[in-house]
Amino acid sequence: MAALRADSAGFRQEVELEGEGRVYGLTVTGGFDFAADKGHLAVDLPGGAIDHSDQVFADGKIYLSGVQGIGEDAWGVMPRDEAESHYLLRAPLNDPEHVLEQIAAMRKISREGEENIKGVRTVRYRGILDHRTVTLRMAPDVRTRMNQARDSLGSDLPVFADAWVDGRGRLVQTRMSVNMSGMRATLTMALSDIGEPVRVTIPRAADTVPVTEVGGILNG
């Protein structure tokens, strides 16, 4: 994972969330240059009130389309380090580097055997994520709910993490999952085209509107 953070890759995240009697499924696709901290992604939620958003990461900022309350042709912009997650196992504004950071913090790791992932032979490793890792960069109100859930359980939330690594030691796929009464979430991220250049188009300053907080299921 450390090697990937000094490289670039294409990725596809598939997110499944279930809670309060509803099930959401969304996809996040794009490319990210982890070494240069820049990338682009598209978020799609079929059937959602807002069903698509484009997001651009560059120069320590995140630009995003489809923000409620600003014009259709305008982009919201906020500092990357101020973005927060609002759901369990979601990254702040779908930031793929956040996912890598959580996976890198896996504990109690076991080797689960070899698996073929889209034609690539890999070894699957499984571990757990502790409470600090699970609540990393969560919005305060969501973190409070997670703390209450942990207290009522009497232990950390049962969050599992999996990493599939190829014969060259490269990360091919990750998964984080939790299944509790009334709350189920899974985030799977597949990586591809490692080392391929990633180009981003930064919106013009005249087309941007500063935002301080962005909600909604599309935005993590």
Side-chain angles (χ1 to χ4, degrees):
M1 276 167 276
L4 182 59
R5 287 160 123 179
D7 215 329
S8 59
F11 66 90
R12 176 183 177 87
Q13 293 179 15
E14 295 185 358
V15 182
E16 294 180 16
L17 300 173
E18 182 178 347
E20 299 175 356
R22 300 187 65 182
V23 178
Y24 301 92
L26 63 148
T27 59
V28 184
T29 56
F32 214 93
D33 186 331
F34 297 98
D37 288 327
K38 67 177 183 178
H40 58 82
L41 51 89
V43 194
D44 290 283
L45 175 65
I50 297 177
D51 59 9
H52 178 83
S53 176
D54 293 300
Q55 298 177 351
V56 173
F57 291 67
D59 302 328
K61 301 182 180 71
I62 305 176
Y63 303 84
L64 56 158
S65 69
V67 178
Q68 285 183 313
I70 65 175
E72 280 190 19
D73 297 327
W75 292 73
V77 59
M78 71 182 302
R80 184 181 180 188
D81 60 5
E82 292 182 11
E84 297 176 321
S85 62
H86 298 85
Y87 300 89
L88 183 60
L89 300 192
R90 292 296 304 281
L93 288 177
N94 305 295
D95 190 335
E97 194 157 23
H98 183 83
V99 178
L100 294 182
E101 188 173 351
Q102 289 182 305
I103 290 291
M106 286 167 55
R107 302 173 63 187
K108 299 183 180 178
I109 299 170
S110 59
R111 189 183 191 275
E112 297 293 303
E114 296 186 3
E115 291 186 21
N116 192 300
I117 302 294
K118 296 182 179 177
V120 179
R121 290 182 62 182
T122 69
V123 175
R124 179 181 184 178
Y125 298 92
R126 165 158 275 215
I128 61 171
L129 300 184
D130 64 16
H131 193 70
R132 186 199 69 80
T133 303
V134 170
T135 58
L136 190 65
R137 291 183 62 190
M138 268 188 176
D141 59 326
V142 186
R143 184 192 299 269
T144 296
R145 292 205 301 273
M146 294 303 111
N147 290 345
Q148 290 169 345
R150 177 189 59 178
D151 292 345
S152 65
L153 274 176
S155 64
D156 283 0
L157 306 185
V159 178
F160 293 93
D162 295 273
W164 288 261
V165 180
D166 71 9
R168 295 166 62 182
R170 299 183 304 183
L171 198 59
V172 174
Q173 182 172 277
T174 70
R175 178 172 296 146
M176 297 183 289
S177 59
V178 62
N179 193 348
M180 299 166 55
S181 58
M183 177 169 43
R184 181 176 65 86
T186 305
L187 188 155
T188 304
M189 184 166 75
L191 298 151
S192 60
D193 301 323
I194 293 172
E196 292 294 314
V198 173
R199 296 178 178 85
V200 302
T201 302
I202 301 173
R204 296 183 313 154
D207 296 332
T208 66
V209 178
V211 293
T212 55
E213 186 177 0
V214 182
I217 197 82
L218 279 179
N219 297 306

